[in-house]
Amino acid sequence: MKTCLVVDDSSVIRKVARRILEGLEFEIVEAEDGEQALDACRRHLPDAILLDWNMPKMDGYEFLRLLRKLPGGDGPKVVFCTTENDVAHIARALHAGANEYIMKPFDKEIVEAKFQEVGLI
Amino acid sequence: MTPQDFDYLRKMLRERSGQVLSAEKQYLAESRLLPVARKHGLAGLAELVDKLKATTAAAPLTVAVIEAMTTNESFFFRDKMPFDHFRAVIMPALLAARAREKRIRIWCTACATGQEPYSLAMSLKAIGPALAGWRVEILATDLSNEVLDKAKAGIYSQFEVQRGLPIQSLVKFFTKVDEAWQIAEEIRAMVKFRPLNLLNDFSPLGTFDLVFCRNVLIYFGQDTKIGVLNRLARQMPSDGFLILGAAETVVGLTNAFKPMTDQRGIYVPNVAAAKPAPASNVLKFAAKA
Ligand SMILES: C[S@@+](CC[C@H](N)C(=O)[O-])C[C@H]1O[C@@H](n2cnc3c(N)ncnc32)[C@H](O)[C@@H]1O
C-alpha cells in the first residue's frame, strides 16, 4: 500500500483528504504544519504528499524546499492543495519542485486526476 | 408526462439527433426539458410537446429541445491513452506519410465544449519544430450550438481545468480571467469550430487523416452507429486513423474499420473490406433534419 502524508492546518480538510485518499488505497499520515511534516519525512519518506500552502510555523513552500534537500527527499511526489490559485503561486510551487497542483475547493475526481497525472495511481 | 408525449419525444430525438432514449429515461427528459419549457413561456411538458408538434424542424424550440437532451460532458486529455497514441503513434506515422504535401487534417466529430480539440492542439504545440512548414488543420464540430459557443470562447472553470490537464499545461497555455481560465489565443486559432449533425451528409468536408469520434456513438442506435462509421470511412484515406471513446468499438458493427494491430483503441480503414455503405434509414432522416 502506498503512503500519503496529508499536510494541512485544517482538521476538516485533512479529514476530507483522508477519506478520498483512503478510497484510492493510500495509507494516510497527517501533519498540521511544515515542521510536523518535515519530522514525519525524516522518520519515513512517504510516496505522496498532499500539501497546503498557508500554515502556521512553517508554510508548505518552505517545507517543500527543505524536503527536496533531505537525503531521498526528491522521491515523494508532492501535490500542492491550496486556495492560492494564481499563476505566480503555481509557478513558484513548480519551481520549488512540486509535481502537481490542486486549487481548492477540490473533490475526489480532481485528486484522482492529479494523482494519476504524476503516476501515483 | 404522458406515455404518448414521451414516445413522441423519443421518436423526434431518434430522428433528429440519433439519440436513443430508453423507456426508463423519462425522468431525464423531464428534468432536462422543464427548464426549456419555462424559458419558452410554456406551462409544462404537455404544452411543450403540443408546441413541438406544431413547429418546424428548424424552429428555436425544436433546436432547444434537441440540444437540451444531449450530454456534453468532456475533459481535457480524456482517458489519456488516445492522446498518448496521438503523440507516439499517429503523428509520427502521419509526419512520415505526408512528408511531401506537409498537410494533415484532423476532425473531432463531437467536440462538445472543446476540450478534445484543444488537447490535440496543445499536443501539436509540444511537437514543436518538426511541424515547421506544415499545415495542420483541426476541425471540431458538434450538433449543439450552445457547446460550440463555449468551446470558441475557450473559457473553463477551475473545476474543468483540473481534470486531466497537467499543471504545466495550465501555466503554459491558459490565463486566469476572474475565477475562470481562458486558453491562449495561439491554441484557439488552431481549431475551427462548426455546427454539424452527424446524421447529415458530411462528405463536403473532404477527407481527414485522423478522426476523433468519441463518446457520441454510445448515444446512437445500432443502425445509426453503423451508418456514421461507414460514412466516416469514406472520408478517410487508407492510411488514416480513427479514435473512438473508451466504451466504443467498430467490432460487430462494420468491416469498414479494423482495430490497429498492437495499439488498443486505434482503428484503421479496412482496405480489404472497402465497399459502399448500405443506404440506411439514417440518411433518410438526415435529409429531413
Ligand atoms: C459526451 S460529449 C463527447 C465530447 C468529447 N468527444 C469527449 O469524448 O469528451 C457528446 C457530444 O455529442 C454531441 N452530439 C450528440 N448527437 C450528435 C449528432 N447527431 N451529431 C453531432 N454531435 C452530436 C453532443 O452535443 C455532445 O456535445
Side-chain angles (χ1 to χ4, degrees), chain B residues 2-247:
Chain B
T2 65
Q4 289 80 1
D5 283 354
F6 185 49
D7 281 348
Y8 178 85
L9 272 173
R10 287 170 68 193
K11 183 163 170 285
M12 182 186 108
L13 285 174
R14 195 180 178 123
E15 290 178 6
R16 297 290 316 284
S17 69
Q19 184 180 3
V20 174
L21 203 58
S22 56
E24 71 274 9
K25 289 278 173 68
Q26 187 163 332
Y27 72 92
L28 187 77
E30 287 171 354
S31 68
R32 287 189 179 177
L33 295 183
L34 257 179
V36 177
R38 296 223 178 86
K39 209 174 140 196
H40 285 78
L42 299 163
L45 294 173
E47 291 77 2
L48 178 83
V49 174
D50 280 349
K51 187 96 187 268
L52 281 175
K53 287 178 182 161
T55 50
T56 62
L61 182 67
T62 319
V63 172
V65 166
I66 304 277
E67 293 200 5
M69 290 308 299
T70 57
T71 299
N72 311 118
E73 194 179 40
S74 191
F75 327 119
F76 288 102
F77 296 100
R78 183 175 195 168
D79 299 329
K80 204 156 185 293
M81 190 166 72
F83 300 92
D84 292 344
H85 282 332
F86 178 66
R87 274 182 292 252
V89 180
I90 297 170
M91 280 310 290
L94 289 176
L95 285 172
R98 303 284 179 273
R100 217 150 37 92
E101 52 278 50
K102 287 198 183 321
R103 177 162 190 232
I104 295 173
R105 297 191 78 215
I106 301 171
W107 180 20
C108 293
T109 64
C111 66
T113 38
Q115 286 93 329
E116 184 174 279
Y118 286 143
S119 298
L120 291 172
M122 287 185 276
S123 304
L124 283 174
K125 276 279 167 213
I127 294 177
L131 278 176
W134 284 71
R135 248 174 65 209
V136 183
E137 195 186 322
I138 305 175
L139 176 69
T141 60
D142 200 282
L143 167 86
S144 159
N145 282 292
E146 200 177 322
V147 293
L148 288 173
D149 286 344
K150 176 167 168 159
K152 280 181 218 161
I155 299 174
Y156 299 93
S157 71
Q158 185 162 290
F159 185 77
E160 289 169 313
V161 295
Q162 298 207 82
R163 291 179 76 177
L165 186 70
I167 194 69
Q168 286 84 358
S169 303
L170 181 74
V171 174
K172 194 161 165 195
F173 295 120
F174 288 75
T175 47
K176 205 162 168 234
V177 184
D178 300 322
E179 282 311 295
W181 293 81
Q182 183 168 37
I183 198 158
E185 170 60 29
E186 60 163 340
I187 301 294
R188 269 182 285 152
M190 294 169 72
V191 183
K192 255 193 289 185
F193 290 100
R194 297 273 181 280
L196 179 107
N197 186 338
L198 284 170
L199 300 193
N200 292 350
D201 177 21
F202 46 68
S203 59
L205 297 178
T207 57
F208 295 89
D209 305 294
L210 169 61
V211 174
F212 266 58
C213 184
R214 306 187 64 222
N215 302 302
V216 60
L217 295 181
I218 36 169
Y219 302 104
F220 296 164
Q222 181 98 341
D223 288 354
T224 313
K225 285 182 196 176
I226 295 171
V228 170
L229 285 168
N230 285 340
R231 287 185 295 123
L232 282 177
R234 290 191 223 135
Q235 303 308 123
M236 293 171 62
S238 56
D239 58 354
F241 299 92
L242 171 72
I243 305 278
L244 301 177

